[in-house]
Amino acid sequence: MRSIAILNQKGGVGKTTTAVNLSAALAASGQRVFLIDLDPQAHATLHLGLNPADCTASMYDVLTGQAPLAEIRQQAGENLWVAGSHIDLAAAEVELVGVVGREIILRDKLAEDAATRETAPDFQPFDYLIVDCPPSLGVLTLNALAAVEEVILPLQPHFLALHGLSKLLQTVELVAKRLNDRLRLAGVVLCLYESGTRLAAEVGSDVEQFFAGQQRRHPAWSDARTFQTRIRRNIRLAEAPSFGQSIFQYAPDSNGAEDYRRLAQELLEAAVVH
Ligand code: ADP
Ligand code: MG
């Protein structure tokens, strides 16, 4: 199973849009995908048509030890399952402060879940785990980073796009060193891309140069690449969440659907980073 956290501590850069539509694209191509919503705002949960208010339990209950993943996992489409979030999850950041090993709860829960599922006669593993992270580098994000092997970083190409990147890269490197030596930044995906503008093209090449200049000094992230697929700004992508539908249900012929299909293809073709 490949496991990928969609991470950027900035809000509004395209994390949730990418987590949901990349998951849906992978599912449509036959991969079995499990999406975990770790953002208390529950945007990914809503985007997939689930109302957090109707769910009896959420990732809050999983991280606080009150429910196993299996209890909150719901099927959101063919080949696609989701573990939903709830605003309660915001409290977990505080409630877990005194808990020993609080950064590796999700990893443990996933291991328990896999062990339980393996015993079922009709067991089929997931091919992809995708985690939608909140816009912070707190305990929820650390749980995501401790539990996955790859990070995808969505960036919005404006002039401050690289601002804050060093903090994020430091966090990835620290987690790789202390909690999860398999963790790698797989790549950067440019979202909300205004094709044809000079700024977008410049930021794209700045990002490529930044990683190319690292000369393997930082094993956790110096091999990161910039995905060739740019996710263009597309109004359909902004409209789809309010219908509780992925872009493939809402507007399958849009540029947004085409871009996420291509990103999924690129990911499927990319060699696993280690
Ligand atoms: P994040 O999860 O990083 O906060 P979102 O994925 O929620 O970011 O995106 C922020 C806003 O921009 C949302 O309203 C979303 O619908 C919109 N959006 C994201 N990607 C695109 C895109 N490529 N084109 C148009 N709107 C987009
Ligand atoms: Mg989000």
Side-chain angles (χ1 to χ4, degrees), residues 50-107:
L50 304 174
N51 185 350
D54 296 340
C55 301
T56 48
S58 72
M59 282 307 297
Y60 170 80
D61 302 275
V62 172
L63 294 182
T64 54
Q66 300 172 76
L69 273 169
E71 194 179 311
I72 69 153
R73 182 167 42 228
Q74 302 191 50
Q75 190 149 12
E78 195 181 353
N79 293 327
L80 181 59
W81 288 263
V82 61
S85 174
H86 188 277
I87 187 68
D88 284 352
L89 194 51
E93 291 269 5
V94 181
E95 285 174 35
L96 295 176
V97 162
V99 175
V100 175
R102 61 188 172 276
E103 298 93 353
I104 56 167
I105 300 174
L106 180 59
R107 179 160 82 198

Side-chain angles (χ1 to χ4, degrees), residues 11-12 14-17 37 39 41 43-44 132-135:
K15 284 184 295 297
T16 301
T17 307
D37 187 355
D39 186 349
Q41 296 176 95
H43 289 166
D132 188 25
C133 293

Side-chain angles (χ1 to χ4, degrees), residues 6-28:
I6 313 293
L7 174 70
N8 189 329
Q9 76 271 39
K10 285 188 195 168
V13 296
K15 284 184 295 297
T16 301
T17 307
T18 298
V20 167
N21 293 308
L22 182 61
S23 295
L26 290 165

Side-chain angles (χ1 to χ4, degrees), residues 213-233:
Q214 295 304 320
Q215 300 166 335
R216 301 183 170 268
R217 276 182 288 131
H218 303 276
W221 51 266
S222 51
D223 285 341
R225 60 212 198 86
T226 310
F227 287 98
Q228 288 306 304
T229 308
R230 269 73 166 130
I231 308 297
R232 289 166 285 180
R233 190 180 277 279

